[in-house]
Amino acid sequence: MASSSGFLSEEHLLCSICLDVFTHPVTTPCGHNFCKKCLAGYWDSSDRYQCPLCNKSFEMRPDLSINTLISETAAQFKQSFQINTTVTSEKNACTSTKVLCDACTGVKRSSVKSCLNCGASYCEIHLQPHKTIQNLKKHKLLNPVENLEEYICQKHERPLELFCRDDETCLCQFCIEGDHKNHNTVPLDEANEELKVACLKKTQTVVQQMIQERLEKTEEIERSLQLSKKSTEEEISQGVEVFTALIRSIERSQTELLEVMEEKQKAAERQAEGLIKELEQEITVLKRKDLQLNQLSDAKNYLQKIQIYSSMCSPPHTKNWTEISINTDLSKKTLQKSLSHLHKELKNEMDKEMQSLKQVSHQKAEALVRTLLFLGLLMPFLIPATKPIWIQVYAVNVTLNPDTANRYLILSQDGKHVRSEQRSWRSVPYSQNRFQNDPYVLAKEGFSSGSFYYEVQVTGKTGWDLGVARESVSRHGPFYSNHNEGIWSVIKRNGKDYWACAGSCVSLSLREKVEKVGVFVDYEEGLVSFYDAKARSHIYSITGQSFTEKLYPLFSPGLNLNNENSAPLIICDVCIGLPLQWIR
């Protein structure tokens, strides 16, 4: 086998079809060798039987047998190559280069060394001359690199073997005889070790500093968490005090109301007792008269009858009971007076508590007031629910859904900004939820009950659409129509024209340009209202709707023609401001 591999070169052991070492080699009648599977596949895909190398044709498909000599030689070559590759991989375990051998023909193997003198990279087989030939042993070898020319001096075309500490650059042997003469130079291997040590030390210092910074940041976060916990406990305590004061005020007013009603009841009972006593007295008098009338019929002489007539001519003195009644009307007038007193007490308590909370941050007081609003304790003193200050209580967190965004729209990372691209569209994956024609995008959040409210900044824009859309709204509708079915919106066009749309559109006359729009929806009432959130004024309400599907907030930054409508729509965080004068 050794002798066989001595006269067969690497090229003789490669299949010209797969360009790899033979597997089950067979020989054609014309003398060429191929892998049995490769040749069979070649003939199966052709209507003629010919040699893939010399194109000699055969009338019938030849019967092929394994070429034993070439098969055994190829097997020995594979085994030898695998052993060499394993040894080379172990020697170069620290490097993961995939530089190919420059000397290999056909299938190129991975190189194990690069020669700076030859300017080439070699695999384990073609590197053998550098290990056996005396002149080649002197060549400078290094681990395989692709950019070998960077390791050659551009001036002298010699290998870079030295490092100049003064100029911090790599040199060849001829460089130190010229510009770098008398400079502090060291071999590259030594410089590499020095730089590696310095780099490790510097990196270690940076890592230690980063660890220290993160430990300090961890402590800062923990302190913040403790402060937040303490602040939350204080807010809860203050909130409990407010609720306790309100409950006490309500209990006092309730007690006073009950006392008033009980006093009224007692007064009515006393009045009734007096009237009943008078009535009983009059009934006694009347019975006496009735008895006298009976005696009249029993009188035997005229003189006795005349006396009885004389006494009967003066009727008993009694009251006129027609308009006399018991005063039991405790509901309307008394309750109104008591409730008025209760309202006054509650407002006084709220004024006291709000004054005590002036030292607390605006956010804390705002959170307390929001909680009070939800509990309904302040409902009698709030302004009507149609005003923007009240609907802000229904504020929800809204973020944009990129799966629904038209390909002309650009969304921010946090899902709060959307703008329209001027000339080109984005390359986006297909989604059945995406608007194909209209420059629309929906929010991730949908609502199928209750009320919700959100605000959007529209400053600097000449056109936009804002509102809500039902879940089944068409995503393939006509291009940017003003009256899409399933959309309830207010739109702006041409920088000055405003319309309210719900299947059809109504022109709106607004005195001032709107900079922030508030959208309020009451699902059960079928109401969609729009507000100028900055001016705190009502724009328009779409009423009498019947919602049967989930509703999603809808946004369109409009078309961006000639870069005149490039400003984004910005979803705002809704902050509920509740000054005392609005409560009063």
Side-chain angles (χ1 to χ4, degrees):
M1 290 286 83
S3 63
S4 298
S5 62
F7 64 82
L8 286 176
S9 65
E10 175 190 351
E11 287 80 2
H12 293 113
L13 300 176
L14 298 179
C15 172
S16 59
I17 296 178
C18 67
L19 301 179
D20 203 353
V21 179
F22 286 122
T23 302
H24 304 305
V26 295
T27 305
T28 61
C30 58
H32 294 117
N33 299 305
F34 305 93
C35 294
K36 183 177 181 180
K37 185 177 181 181
C38 295
L39 184 58
Y42 179 79
W43 282 347
D44 290 342
S45 61
S46 176
D47 56 355
R48 294 191 301 171
Y49 304 117
Q50 61 181 17
C51 176
L53 197 59
C54 66
N55 294 328
K56 183 177 180 179
S57 300
F58 311 107
E59 293 183 1
M60 298 182 64
R61 182 166 181 164
D63 293 329
L64 303 175
S65 300
I66 302 297
N67 189 323
T68 307
L69 176 61
I70 296 179
S71 178
E72 293 178 354
T73 305
Q76 184 183 18
F77 178 81
K78 286 181 178 179
Q79 183 178 6
S80 175
F81 177 74
Q82 290 174 352
I83 294 174
N84 291 334
T85 302
T86 303
V87 173
T88 303
S89 300
E90 292 176 352
K91 290 181 180 180
N92 299 280
C94 294
T95 62
S96 59
T97 181
K98 291 185 179 181
V99 179
L100 300 179
C101 177
D102 293 322
C104 286
T105 59
V107 178
K108 292 184 176 291
R109 289 179 287 274
S110 297
S111 60
V112 295
K113 289 291 181 180
S114 295
C115 179
L116 293 177
N117 300 83
C118 299
S121 300
Y122 301 105
C123 64
E124 186 66 31
I125 296 175
H126 292 105
L127 188 64
Q128 293 301 320
H130 283 74
K131 298 179 179 180
T132 58
I133 300 175
Q134 192 63 32
N135 290 336
L136 296 180
K137 286 183 178 181
K138 300 178 181 179
H139 285 192
K140 180 68 175 179
L141 300 177
L142 69 159
N143 290 332
V145 292
E146 292 182 349
N147 50 341
L148 195 57
E149 65 278 358
E150 295 182 3
Y151 295 81
I152 306 297
C153 179
Q154 300 297 319
K155 184 176 181 181
H156 302 106
E157 297 183 354
R158 300 291 294 173
L160 297 172
E161 300 175 338
L162 302 171
F163 181 77
C164 178
R165 289 173 171 170
D166 298 334
D167 297 333
E168 295 185 352
T169 185
C170 297
L171 311 173
C172 70
Q173 290 291 346
F174 293 105
C175 291
I176 60 176
E177 298 176 1
D179 298 338
H180 298 272
K181 189 175 183 179
N182 299 326
H183 283 196
N184 184 6
T185 60
V186 294
L188 277 179
D189 293 340
E190 182 180 343
N192 182 56
E193 288 298 323
E194 292 178 355
L195 292 174
K196 183 169 68 173
V197 172
C199 180
L200 289 175
K201 185 176 181 181
K202 181 179 179 181
T203 303
Q204 186 177 14
T205 302
V206 173
V207 169
Q208 291 176 350
Q209 182 179 356
M210 292 174 67
I211 292 174
Q212 183 63 30
E213 291 175 354
R214 279 150 181 77
L215 288 174
E216 293 176 355
K217 192 63 177 179
T218 301
E219 294 177 357
E220 179 184 344
I221 293 174
E222 290 178 349
R223 288 195 300 269
S224 299
L225 181 60
Q226 292 297 326
L227 292 175
S228 176
K229 183 179 180 180
K230 183 178 179 182
S231 176
T232 301
E233 292 175 350
E234 292 177 354
E235 290 180 16
I236 293 174
S237 176
Q238 293 169 351
V240 170
E241 291 178 1
V242 172
F243 297 147
T244 303
L246 290 175
I247 292 173
R248 288 175 179 173
S249 178
I250 292 174
E251 290 176 347
R252 280 199 310 271
S253 298
Q254 183 180 3
T255 302
E256 294 176 1
L257 177 60
L258 292 175
E259 291 177 353
V260 170
M261 295 178 68
E262 290 177 356
E263 182 62 31
K264 291 291 184 180
Q265 179 64 28
K266 291 179 180 179
E269 292 176 356
R270 289 195 298 269
Q271 182 185 9
E273 290 177 357
L275 294 177
I276 291 173
K277 188 176 182 180
E278 291 185 26
L279 285 171
E280 288 177 346
Q281 292 176 352
E282 291 189 0
I283 289 173
T284 301
V285 173
L286 292 173
K287 285 183 176 180
R288 186 180 299 115
K289 291 293 182 181
D290 183 61
L291 179 61
Q292 292 176 354
L293 290 173
N294 290 331
Q295 292 175 354
L296 178 63
S297 59
D298 296 334
K300 295 181 178 181
N301 52 53
Y302 290 104
L303 180 61
Q304 186 178 8
K305 289 182 179 181
I306 291 171
Q307 292 177 349
I308 295 174
Y309 288 146
S310 176
S311 61
M312 291 292 294
C313 287
S314 56
H317 178 71
T318 60
K319 281 187 177 182
N320 182 7
W321 296 94
T322 305
E323 297 180 358
I324 295 178
S325 63
I326 304 299
N327 184 14
T328 59
D329 185 14
L330 302 177
S331 56
K332 187 174 181 180
K333 185 176 181 181
T334 304
L335 289 177
Q336 285 180 348
K337 182 179 179 181
S338 300
L339 287 175
S340 176
H341 178 70
L342 173 62
H343 293 175
K344 184 177 180 180
E345 287 293 324
L346 286 174
K347 288 193 290 183
N348 291 337
E349 290 293 337
M350 279 302 302
D351 289 341
K352 293 178 182 178
E353 294 301 328
M354 293 299 291
Q355 289 296 330
S356 66
L357 291 177
K358 280 186 177 180
Q359 304 301 324
V360 185
S361 64
H362 177 71
Q363 291 81 3
K364 295 178 181 178
E366 180 181 286
L368 289 175
V369 174
R370 184 194 291 264
T371 306
L372 294 174
L373 290 176
F374 277 118
L375 290 176
L377 295 176
L378 302 181
M379 298 253 326
F381 317 108
L382 289 172
I383 57 179
T386 57
K387 298 297 180 69
I389 186 59
W390 168 246
I391 61 174
Q392 286 179 330
V393 176
Y394 296 101
V396 293
N397 183 29
V398 175
T399 53
L400 302 173
N401 185 355
D403 290 339
T404 65
N406 180 269
R407 57 184 178 175
Y408 280 97
L409 302 184
I410 307 296
L411 276 60
S412 62
Q413 290 284 346
D414 60 359
K416 295 293 186 179
H417 297 208
V418 58
R419 61 183 177 86
S420 178
E421 188 63 29
Q422 184 177 8
R423 295 186 177 89
S424 60
W425 60 79
R426 299 176 297 128
S427 177
V428 294
Y430 173 78
S431 171
Q432 62 180 0
N433 297 323
R434 191 180 306 283
F435 286 94
Q436 301 299 319
N437 298 323
D438 295 325
Y440 289 151
V441 59
L442 298 180
K444 293 180 180 179
E445 298 77 17
F447 305 88
S448 56
S449 64
S451 301
F452 61 93
Y453 175 78
Y454 65 93
E455 293 179 356
V456 182
Q457 181 176 318
V458 296
T459 305
K461 298 195 61 60
T462 60
W464 45 260
D465 292 32
L466 290 173
V468 291
R470 66 188 180 197
E471 189 171 20
S472 64
V473 65
S474 174
R475 314 300 169 97
H476 305 272
F479 181 73
Y480 210 33
S481 171
N482 289 350
H483 48 277
N484 289 351
E485 289 292 337
I487 292 179
W488 296 265
S489 62
V490 162
I491 66 176
K492 181 180 181 180
R493 297 289 186 270
N494 306 321
K496 55 182 175 54
D497 299 328
Y498 294 89
W499 302 77
C501 300
S504 60
C505 294
V506 177
S507 178
L508 305 176
S509 298
L510 303 183
R511 298 179 180 177
E512 299 179 358
K513 182 184 295 185
V514 180
E515 296 186 5
K516 184 186 292 186
V517 178
V519 182
F520 172 74
V521 178
D522 189 325
Y523 193 95
E524 283 74 14
E525 291 295 329
L527 170 69
V528 183
S529 294
F530 301 90
Y531 297 90
D532 184 337
K534 184 176 181 181
R536 296 191 180 277
S537 61
H538 178 252
I539 295 177
Y540 189 81
S541 289
I542 301 173
T543 60
Q545 304 300 303
S546 179
F547 300 133
T548 58
E549 300 180 28
K550 184 175 287 188
L551 299 180
Y552 289 85
L554 174 134
F555 310 83
S556 172
L559 300 176
N560 184 13
L561 304 177
N562 301 322
N563 207 27
E564 295 178 352
N565 193 28
S566 60
L569 292 178
I570 303 174
I571 301 174
C572 305
D573 293 332
V574 179
C575 179
I576 301 180
L578 196 61
L580 286 176
Q581 59 268 27
W582 289 346
I583 298 178
R584 295 171 184 152

